[in-house]
Amino acid sequence: MKHTYKSLTIAAAVSALVLTGCGSGESTTATGGGLNIDVPEVPMLEELREGEGQVNIVAWSGFVEPAWSDQFTEDTGCVVNRRVAGTSDEMVTLMRTGEYDLVSASGDASLRLIAGGDVAPINLDLVPNFGDEIVEGMKGQVYDTINGQSYGVPIGRGANILQYNSEVVTDAPTSWDVVWEPDSPYAGKIIGYDAPIYIADAALYLMATQPELGITNPYALDQEQLDASIELLKTQNSILSEYWSDPTAQITSFTGGTSVVGTSWEVLRKLSEDERMQGVLPEEGSTGWSDTWMVAAEAQHPNCAYEWMNYTSAADVNGQIAMNFGMAPANGAFCDLNEEAKAHCETFHALDEDYYSNIWFWTTPLEQCVDGRTDVQCTNFQEWTQAWQTVKG
């Protein structure tokens, strides 16, 4: 099942990101053009030339399939060599071997790749299908736009929803309180996500319920804020049925009755084919994920890589990828192609920016606070990974 390959595991500790200033002492700020931090200077492709005959891609399962890669090869002469990765950490490791030209990076990997000098800035002039049809909410984001320069071409996005069994949870929940509060009526039947990035979900709930902590971005936590989030997670641990990282196991937990409420993806709810399974975006908002194509800093086949990014940014191909994987497409024009496309876009809220304005997309935690604070040092991904281990015991 395709989403088995999109889990973030504790193995991320091996190559966790620790970012500090790279000499200039400039601070980090989040802006409309992404994030402002010091990063290695990597040259950008200035001109598209003849393709090299092949392109090597690291991708999530379902992103690179014969249904569209064969046509791409026929159109461009670039043969597609695919390597499926199981985690964001694996993607980072593979990209650092120098053997791959492209990667479909999620927000919890993209900043690691940018900060490590592993990927190059994107020349959007060479990606003509990246235009007005790309939804605004996937342009210029913190996780792939640095100092006003794009490092990624959007593929798709999704939210982490609150799923519940309507046969047991008869009053449709409107808040995450049913999974975080120790007196939840569903204690012992709650499922949580098994990954350090899940700390952001706890921080998001604390943003709404403990404003005195001063959390304004769930991925920018100083030590006090991280401690509070970990304490909440430890409390939740005592009322959980289990954690999930394997989507197939998550579906089984719900359909089998082990869990009746907890974190999920819209596609998992649909794949369960169980009418009892319902989902909602709670009033506090939620975390989510957004994927982009990123080009290796020393790509051996950069022209074919750009050809691929442009090809997969077209409405029909981008939509095929989105439907195959189970997410909202980046190219909004797909939603008008036919009734099937329209239904898919409605299911995944593809054109609903109000919906996605309530989603905090996965972003690698940095010592330089991504919320713009300069008077404190935030905790980094390595510290999150270590803290997560104390939650699991």
Side-chain angles (χ1 to χ4, degrees), residues 139-274:
K139 296 178 180 178
Q141 295 300 305
V142 168
Y143 48 80
D144 66 4
T145 303
I146 303 299
N147 306 325
Q149 173 63 57
S150 176
Y151 282 78
V153 173
I155 308 169
R157 57 183 174 175
N160 296 321
I161 63 169
L162 176 61
Q163 181 174 305
Y164 62 97
N165 183 331
S166 60
E167 190 174 83
V168 179
V169 185
T170 53
D171 291 330
T174 59
S175 169
W176 285 107
D177 59 1
V178 294
V179 304
W180 291 113
E181 296 299 333
D183 60 352
S184 170
Y186 311 109
K189 294 283 187 176
I190 301 166
I191 193 169
Y193 190 51
D194 191 359
I197 206 70
Y198 187 53
I199 293 172
D201 292 66
L204 183 68
Y205 185 65
L206 292 176
M207 283 174 61
T209 58
Q210 296 187 33
E212 64 275 12
L213 287 170
I215 301 174
T216 60
N217 183 314
Y219 305 103
L221 305 180
D222 59 35
Q223 190 62 55
E224 179 184 359
Q225 294 164 342
L226 176 63
D227 291 344
S229 300
I230 294 301
E231 188 61 34
L232 178 60
L233 285 158
K234 288 180 177 179
T235 298
Q236 186 198 47
N237 181 275
S238 67
I239 59 173
L240 290 182
S241 53
E242 58 186 306
Y243 291 100
W244 72 276
S245 59
D246 179 349
T248 302
Q250 192 265 11
I251 292 173
T252 300
S253 183
F254 268 97
T255 58
T258 299
S259 302
V260 301
V261 67
T263 301
S264 184
W265 301 326
E266 186 67 44
V267 68
L268 301 187
R269 186 179 72 82
K270 291 179 66 64
L271 286 172
S272 72
E273 298 182 339
D274 190 328

Side-chain angles (χ1 to χ4, degrees), residues 352-387:
D352 189 350
E353 293 301 337
D354 285 341
Y355 179 87
Y356 280 106
S357 69
N358 295 307
I359 307 301
W360 294 85
F361 293 109
W362 285 350
T363 302
T364 307
L366 312 176
E367 289 182 358
Q368 298 172 319
C369 300
V370 297
D371 62 0
R373 286 181 293 170
T374 59
D375 58 337
V376 297
Q377 177 175 290
C378 280
T379 51
N380 60 53
F381 193 67
Q382 181 177 12
E383 291 170 297
W384 280 40
T385 302
Q386 293 169 343

Side-chain angles (χ1 to χ4, degrees), residues 45-337:
L45 190 66
E46 297 293 342
E47 181 182 0
L48 195 61
R49 300 181 183 276
E50 184 177 351
E52 301 86 358
Q54 64 178 318
V55 60
N56 300 321
I57 304 176
V58 177
W60 298 117
S61 178
F63 275 40
V64 182
E65 301 297 324
W68 45 88
S69 59
D70 288 350
Q71 185 62 53
F72 170 75
T73 299
E74 183 177 333
D75 292 346
T76 66
C78 299
V79 175
V80 178
N81 303 310
R82 179 193 68 166
R83 170 70 180 265
V84 172
T87 67
S88 288
D89 191 57
E90 183 182 359
M91 286 188 173
V92 172
T93 299
L94 289 171
M95 286 298 287
R96 287 175 176 168
T97 66
E99 298 175 6
Y100 299 93
D101 306 299
L102 272 176
V103 61
S104 62
S106 295
D108 54 311
S110 52
L111 283 180
R112 281 187 276 174
L113 291 168
I114 296 169
D118 303 300
V119 292
I122 299 294
N123 187 340
L124 293 177
D125 291 338
L126 303 183
V127 189
N129 284 329
F130 183 98
D132 294 340
E133 295 176 342
I134 301 298
V135 295
E136 287 302 315
M138 294 193 70
K139 296 178 180 178
Q141 295 300 305
V142 168
Y143 48 80
D144 66 4
T145 303
I146 303 299
N147 306 325
Q149 173 63 57
S150 176
Y151 282 78
V153 173
I155 308 169
R157 57 183 174 175
N160 296 321
I161 63 169
L162 176 61
Q163 181 174 305
Y164 62 97
N165 183 331
S166 60
E167 190 174 83
V168 179
V169 185
T170 53
D171 291 330
T174 59
S175 169
W176 285 107
D177 59 1
V178 294
V179 304
W180 291 113
E181 296 299 333
D183 60 352
S184 170
Y186 311 109
K189 294 283 187 176
I190 301 166
I191 193 169
Y193 190 51
D194 191 359
I197 206 70
Y198 187 53
I199 293 172
D201 292 66
L204 183 68
Y205 185 65
L206 292 176
M207 283 174 61
T209 58
Q210 296 187 33
E212 64 275 12
L213 287 170
I215 301 174
T216 60
N217 183 314
Y219 305 103
L221 305 180
D222 59 35
Q223 190 62 55
E224 179 184 359
Q225 294 164 342
L226 176 63
D227 291 344
S229 300
I230 294 301
E231 188 61 34
L232 178 60
L233 285 158
K234 288 180 177 179
T235 298
Q236 186 198 47
N237 181 275
S238 67
I239 59 173
L240 290 182
S241 53
E242 58 186 306
Y243 291 100
W244 72 276
S245 59
D246 179 349
T248 302
Q250 192 265 11
I251 292 173
T252 300
S253 183
F254 268 97
T255 58
T258 299
S259 302
V260 301
V261 67
T263 301
S264 184
W265 301 326
E266 186 67 44
V267 68
L268 301 187
R269 186 179 72 82
K270 291 179 66 64
L271 286 172
S272 72
E273 298 182 339
D274 190 328
E275 293 183 355
R276 299 173 300 167
M277 303 309 154
Q278 300 297 314
V280 65
L281 179 65
E283 59 192 19
E284 298 91 355
S286 186
T287 58
W289 44 268
S290 183
D291 296 335
T292 60
W293 296 116
M294 306 187 86
V295 180
E298 299 182 2
Q300 300 302 303
H301 313 99
N303 294 286
C304 281
Y306 267 81
E307 292 280 12
W308 175 263
M309 289 191 296
N310 188 55
Y311 173 76
T312 54
S313 294
D316 56 343
V317 181
N318 180 248
Q320 289 179 57
I321 296 173
M323 291 187 70
N324 191 50
F325 191 77
M327 61 182 173
N331 192 322
F334 169 72
C335 303
D336 296 324
L337 292 185

Side-chain angles (χ1 to χ4, degrees), residues 19-29 35-39 146-147 367-369 372-374:
L19 266 188
T20 57
C22 299
S24 74
E26 291 182 4
S27 62
T28 300
T29 57
L35 193 66
N36 291 335
I37 59 174
D38 293 336
V39 295
I146 303 299
N147 306 325
E367 289 182 358
Q368 298 172 319
C369 300
R373 286 181 293 170
T374 59

